[in-house]
Each structure stands twice: as structure tokens, then as C-alpha cells.
Amino acid sequence: MTFAYYRRLALALCLGFLIFAPLSAAHADPVDDALALFATDSFNDTASAIDAIGKSGASNSAAIVTALAGGKLFFDPATKTVYYRDAAGKLIDAKTAAEVAAEPAGLKTVRLNNRLRTLVAAAAGSLDILSDDPAKRRSAANAVFKSRDATALAAVDTALAKETNNGVKEALEQARAAIIVTFAGASEADKIKAINTIAGRGDGDAAALLRSLPADIPEAVKTAAADALSDIEIKQAAWAAGQNIVYGISLGSVLLLAAVGLAITFGQMGVINMAHGEMVMIGAYVTFVVQDVIRTSAPGLFDYSLLIAIPMAFLVSGAVGIAIERSVIRFLYGRPLETLLATWGISLILIQAIRSIFGPTNREVGAPSWLSGSLDLGGLSLTYNRIAIVIFALLVFFALLLVLKKTALGLQVRAVTQNRRMAAAMGIRTDWIDAMTFGLGSGVAGMAGVALSQIDNVSPNLGQGYIIDSFMVVVFGGVGNLWGTLVGAMTLGIANKFLEPYAGAVLGKILLLVAIILFIQKRPRGLFALKGRAVEA
């Protein structure tokens, strides 16, 4: 062996290192290793690739997994390069995350079977747990809680170690507890601790998890699970009662809106207005027309359509009410039976008129974006449109109370109600007051139609569904008393929601009707009887 031989050998080794070192480094990259497995078109290799890409730390790991789940992950059989298509439809190089200018020919889709789809779902959850978005992390933690996938335990522990958001941290701890309590290798003490964490969640998912525990678990764990389940069931019963009260207040607000106008026409004027429900219907159709005009002429105003419809519905329904009073009702004062028959006939005419104009089918009234969604409060779920109706009903009630108590019109209405002849002798135009009062009650019914258009079908029969309930509220609360109408509406709404789960919707309403009839036998003037010289006489 000469020196020249060793020099040539060293040179060859250096050249070999220079040639093969980059290749070795490339294969040492976990992202490259994962992508290479995707390009083999083998289910087993794809399973390994899913696990590898989740652990690779690549910034676009979530995008790759999402694309794989959606059948949008491809590979080039010639070059083994992996691509995915993003939400915008652009083809992205999975290694560089750069958009591909010219799409290669012959791309093949990375195939999935049912086993791989389960792995993809688990990988997506694990990646979301480490997302920068707290909402995604919470959602992923809840998904892990439901799946109890033991392979996600490492990702949950990693996320818990760096989590700073208290709400997300609590969700992660519950997800970890769900895995531990079903993990065969966990100790008895760890399982009992996990059960206590799950009990803190207190919802249906926690109860379902505890019920699904196998029967052959240690006695101490079984006892802890039974105690936790009992606590959860007590809490759920309390939340269910609270939810019924909330639903009842929501229904009571709807009844209040429908009945408060009737409380004026029936209570203050003594007119049995069977066409009151049709005033509500007219308000709902005004809302439909306003939205239809906005959709075609000014779409940007759609979110304000209900605010525009409220005064429009008041004016249109009020004008129709004044027209009815001037053309029919004023000839029938003091004859309640004739008034009932006449207004019933008017209601049929209005229903047919609406059918002729808009057709017999339901009309779509959209919800503005600010009324979409719901508010979760503990175990309660409140939709924004229901919350808005409760607030709107109270605003209408107090505005009406203010009008009747603090304005000249309200003073004259009360004077005419209590003693028409004396009011006329004092110079009050009783005919004008009658028309304005009937118009006010009809206008309020029109505003109720705006609110009901958000929770009920807008059809010619809309008003008929509320007329009986409205009379029940007014009679139960006390004819002519607005506070009685408020208490009556809320009482009937809450009682109805507590009866429905046990008796059903129809039987529950019948039971309420019977109860009101019995109540009226004892208190003919309702909860809050109207006082005045005319009434007492």
C-alpha cells in the first residue's frame, strides 16, 4: 500500500460522502419520510404516513390531513411528489407548501379505507389540539372526550403542558380523564380521579361515558362512577327545569305579544275581536314584503329589515284596524254577540284576501345575521331570536303602558272606558278615541306579527293559531289589565312547557283550558280585576 493508494482512497470516501450525504439528510427529514409513504399507494404505508405527518411538526400538517380526509391528497407516480388541493382549489406542493404553477399530468389520489378514515379523524383531532385557535383546541378536546382515543393521549398531555386558556385547559383535562377512565393500563386511583374530573363536566356526554363503563371494573371505581352519575343526573334535572322555565318565558313572551293588543280592544273597549289574529298575520306579511323589497332593491339593508318592518307593520295593521272600526265595529258597540260574528266574518275575508294576493303556501321570512346562533349558559341553550323576542315583548309592553298612563291619548282612553257619557260631556271625542284605541290594539298586533315571523310559518292561517291563546291570556290575567296580561302570558307559557313533556302538546293545552275555566268560576274577572266606576256599576 503506497501513499498514493491511501490518498486515492481518502478522495473516494470524500466524494462518496459529498454524493450521498444530502440523500441521507433528506431521508432523515420526518416530513419527507411521511410524504414518501403517502406516495407508495399502500394502505399500510398510508397508515404509517398519517401517524408520521402528525408527529412531523410540519406547518401544513393539518392541511395535508384535511386534504387526505377530503380525497384531495395526490401523488405523482413518476416523481413521488405529494400534492394537495386547498379550500380555494389551488394545487399545493405538500413539501414546500407552495402553489404549483402547472399541474403535473397523471396525478393519483391517495386512497383511504374505513380503517384509515378512523386514523385520519384521530390525527385531525390531535392536530387541532395543538392549533393556535382556542376554539379549535376546545372543539378538538371535546372530540377526544367523545372518541376516548388512547392514541391521542400524548397529544393531549403536550397540549395541557402549554395551555394557558382556562376554559380550553378544563376541556383538555376532561378529555384526558375520558381516556384514562377507559384505559386498561390505568391504576385504580387514576381512574377514580378521572371520574371526579368527568363528574365536573355534568352533561349528557359525561353521563353516557360513566354508564358505558364495563361491569368488571374494581368495586371502588364502580362506586365512584355510580356516585358521580347520581350527581350528574341531579344537576341535569335542575338544568332541565331551568330550560323549561326559559322555554316557558319565551312562549309567554310570544303570547304576551299576541295578547297585549287584544287586551286593549277587548279589555278597554269590550269588543270581542275575532279578527285580532289576522292583524298579527298582516304584520307578518308586511315583514315578508319589506324583506322582499330589500332583497331586490337594497340587499345591504337586509340585517336592518326587521327594524324597518316594525313601524311599517304597526302602521299598516293599525290602519286596517281603524278601517274595520269605522266601517263595522262602531255600529255594534254594546252588542257583543254581533261584534263577535262580524269580526269573525272579517277575519275570513282577510284570510281569503291574503290567499288571493300571496297564495296559500308559506312565505319565507329570513333572520338577520345578528339573530343567528345561540347562547350557551351552563346547561341552558338560548337562541338569539328567542332572546330578542323576550326583550321586544317587554319593550312593547312597557311602551304601551307608558302610552296609556302618561299621554293625553291614554288618559282619554281610560276616561272613555270608565264612563263614556261623562267623558263625552267633558268634551272628549269618544268616536275618535274608539277608532284610535282600536287602531292602537291592531298596530300592536301587527308588531307581534314581525316577531312571530322569526319563529313561525308566515301563512294565511298564522293568526288563527294564536287567537284562542290570546283570549285565554286576557281572560285569565283580568280583562283590560295590562299587568294581568303580562302575568297571565308568563304563567300560561311556563305551565304549558312544564305540562308538555308529560301530557303532550295538545293534551297539555286542554288541561290548561280546563284549569282556566275552573279558575274563572272562582274569579270571573281574572287575576287582576279592572277597577272603575263603570265596572263596579
Side-chain angles (χ1 to χ4, degrees), residues 122-402:
S126 299
L127 289 169
D128 282 345
I129 275 181
L130 301 172
S131 167
D132 293 333
D133 184 355
K136 277 190 175 179
R137 295 200 300 274
R138 182 192 286 268
S139 176
N142 288 330
V144 171
F145 183 91
K146 292 177 182 175
S147 70
R148 305 156 210 166
D149 181 9
T151 61
L153 184 58
V156 171
D157 284 337
T158 304
L160 262 175
K162 61 181 184 181
E163 184 59 63
T164 57
N165 184 303
N166 290 333
V168 179
K169 190 171 186 177
E170 186 180 20
L172 287 168
E173 287 171 346
Q174 291 166 355
R176 187 178 190 281
I179 296 172
I180 294 296
V181 81
T182 53
F183 186 52
S187 68
E188 186 175 305
D190 285 344
K191 287 194 175 188
I192 292 174
K193 186 179 177 183
I195 287 172
N196 292 333
T197 303
I198 293 167
R201 186 180 174 107
D203 62 0
D205 290 332
L209 171 58
L210 294 176
R211 287 193 193 101
S212 69
L213 292 179
D216 58 348
I217 55 177
E219 195 59 34
V221 177
K222 191 182 292 183
T223 304
D227 292 344
L229 188 58
S230 175
D231 288 344
I232 290 174
E233 287 173 345
I234 292 172
K235 286 178 186 173
Q236 284 188 316
W239 282 119
Q243 188 74 65
N244 279 337
I245 292 174
V246 170
Y247 286 156
I249 291 173
S250 172
L251 176 61
S253 301
V254 173
L255 294 177
L256 176 63
L257 277 173
V260 72
L262 189 67
I264 298 173
T265 55
F266 181 47
Q268 304 282 344
M269 302 178 67
V271 175
I272 302 175
N273 182 16
M274 294 300 289
H276 181 77
E278 278 57 57
M279 300 297 113
V280 176
M281 173 196 68
I282 289 173
Y285 271 94
V286 168
T287 311
F288 164 71
V289 172
V290 168
Q291 284 199 348
D292 198 40
V293 171
I294 287 177
R295 278 195 184 100
T296 55
S297 306
L301 293 176
F302 186 80
D303 275 351
Y304 305 98
S305 59
L306 292 187
L307 301 179
I308 298 170
I310 289 172
M312 296 290 293
F314 179 81
L315 293 174
V316 172
S317 299
V320 173
I322 290 173
I324 293 172
E325 197 278 339
R326 286 292 83 190
S327 59
V328 179
I329 303 295
R330 67 171 176 152
F331 302 109
L332 301 174
Y333 283 125
R335 292 186 286 175
L337 185 59
E338 284 88 339
T339 308
L340 185 151
L341 292 173
T343 52
W344 182 51
I346 291 170
S347 75
L348 296 179
I349 293 171
L350 290 174
I351 290 172
Q352 190 55 49
I354 290 293
R355 273 206 185 104
S356 300
I357 297 171
F358 296 99
T361 55
N362 295 342
R363 291 291 173 171
E364 181 189 355
V365 175
S369 59
W370 48 276
L371 282 183
S372 301
S374 62
L375 173 67
D376 293 326
L377 191 64
L380 302 179
S381 179
L382 312 170
T383 57
Y384 288 135
N385 59 356
R386 291 279 181 177
I387 294 173
I389 287 177
V390 172
I391 295 171
F392 181 63
L394 293 176
L395 287 176
V396 169
F397 174 81
F398 285 110
L400 199 56
L401 205 62
L402 200 64

Side-chain angles (χ1 to χ4, degrees), residues 453-484:
S453 70
Q454 296 299 301
I455 59 172
D456 208 339
N457 296 324
V458 176
S459 71
N461 299 321
L462 172 66
Q464 292 183 338
Y466 292 95
I467 187 66
I468 301 299
D469 288 335
S470 299
F471 273 108
M472 284 170 59
V473 167
V474 172
V475 171
F476 177 65
V479 177
N481 191 308
L482 291 185
W483 285 107

